[in-house]
Amino acid sequence: MKDSNIEKYIHSVIEAVDILHEKALFGQVLTVMYSSIDACGLLDASAEQEKATGKTFKDWVNKYLLPESSLECSADDLWGARCAVLHTHTAVSDLSKASKVKEIQYISGPPEHPLVIAFLKASKDIGEKESIGVNIDILLMDFLKGIEKFNTEFIERIKVCDVLKNRALRVLLNHAI
C-alpha cells in the first residue's frame, strides 16, 4: 500500500517535526508531536472507538513511545503535558495542578552534557517531586521511532479492517496547487 494516506500523513509529521526541531521551535515541535499522537491514538484504537480521548493517547504512548524509551515519565505524565502544551502552551495542566501527573520541564541538548544532566536532576526537586525533566531531543527520537513502528503495523491492520481503512482515508493531507 505504497503512498497510502497514512504513509503520506506519517511522512508529513516526520518532516514537520524535523523542520521545527532544526529551527529550535520546541513549543511547535511539541504541539505537532502531541496532536499527532492524538490522531495516531484514534487510528490505532478499536474499531468501535469514534473519537480521540486521553485513553487512546495513553494507549498509543504505552504501545509505541515508552516501551524502548529511557524517559522517566509515564503515559499519564505525557497526557498532562499534551493538555498543557495544546491548551496553554505552558507546562501547567489541570492534571498537574491537581497533582495527578508530573509537570514536564523540557530541555534540549546532548544527554551527556553536564547542563542537561543537572537540569534533569534539578527538575525533580521542583514542587516537591511534582515535576520531571525531559530531554525534548530524546522525546522526539522516541516519538519518531514509535510513529514509524505504528505506520508499519497500521498498514497491515487496515488490510483486514474496513473501519480502520475508512479512518485512514479521512486523514487530512495537503492538496496544494
Side-chain angles (χ1 to χ4, degrees), residues 102-154:
K102 292 179 182 158
E103 217 171 80
I104 294 183
Q105 307 298 324
Y106 302 95
I107 190 166
S108 175
E112 67 282 351
H113 193 284
L115 290 176
V116 172
I117 293 168
F119 177 89
L120 296 176
K121 184 178 182 309
S123 66
K124 292 178 183 177
D125 296 329
I126 298 170
E128 299 178 19
K129 308 244 186 253
E130 292 183 11
S131 194
I132 189 165
V134 167
N135 185 327
I136 196 168
D137 306 324
I138 301 298
L139 175 60
L140 181 56
M141 285 190 301
D142 290 344
F143 167 72
L144 292 172
K145 286 185 234 172
I147 203 166
E148 286 285 356
K149 182 179 179 190
F150 165 74
N151 182 48
T152 301
E153 291 180 9
F154 190 75

Side-chain angles (χ1 to χ4, degrees), residues 2-177:
K2 189 132 175 68
D3 296 319
S4 70
N5 271 18
I6 289 307
E7 288 172 305
K8 289 176 187 174
Y9 171 72
I10 298 298
H11 293 295
S12 71
V13 168
I14 291 169
E15 185 175 1
V17 294
D18 281 345
I19 290 167
L20 294 168
H21 185 260
E22 183 179 300
K23 295 186 179 282
L25 298 169
F26 299 124
Q28 290 73 20
V29 167
L30 293 169
T31 299
V32 171
M33 185 188 67
Y34 287 140
S35 64
S36 297
I37 293 172
D38 268 336
C40 290
L42 175 59
L43 287 169
D44 195 53
S46 63
E48 58 275 354
Q49 183 74 32
E50 294 183 12
K51 64 180 187 171
T53 64
K55 182 179 178 340
T56 59
F57 178 97
K58 290 183 273 187
D59 286 349
W60 193 93
V61 165
N62 282 322
K63 185 174 179 182
Y64 294 105
L65 194 147
L66 291 179
E68 298 179 30
S69 176
S70 63
L71 297 172
E72 295 181 23
C73 57
S74 68
D76 287 329
D77 296 332
L78 288 170
W79 171 251
R82 169 252 181 235
C83 293
V85 168
L86 295 184
H87 297 291
T88 64
H89 230 229
T90 69
V92 180
S93 68
D94 289 343
L95 293 167
S96 67
K97 284 192 273 186
S99 298
K100 293 182 179 178
V101 300
K102 292 179 182 158
E103 217 171 80
I104 294 183
Q105 307 298 324
Y106 302 95
I107 190 166
S108 175
E112 67 282 351
H113 193 284
L115 290 176
V116 172
I117 293 168
F119 177 89
L120 296 176
K121 184 178 182 309
S123 66
K124 292 178 183 177
D125 296 329
I126 298 170
E128 299 178 19
K129 308 244 186 253
E130 292 183 11
S131 194
I132 189 165
V134 167
N135 185 327
I136 196 168
D137 306 324
I138 301 298
L139 175 60
L140 181 56
M141 285 190 301
D142 290 344
F143 167 72
L144 292 172
K145 286 185 234 172
I147 203 166
E148 286 285 356
K149 182 179 179 190
F150 165 74
N151 182 48
T152 301
E153 291 180 9
F154 190 75
I155 296 285
E156 293 305 311
R157 289 179 60 210
I158 62 175
K159 292 176 183 177
V160 296
C161 181
D162 287 339
V163 172
L164 299 182
K165 184 185 287 187
N166 287 332
R167 276 187 199 159
L169 291 172
R170 292 191 304 259
V171 171
L172 294 177
L173 298 173
N174 294 333
H175 298 286
I177 298 176

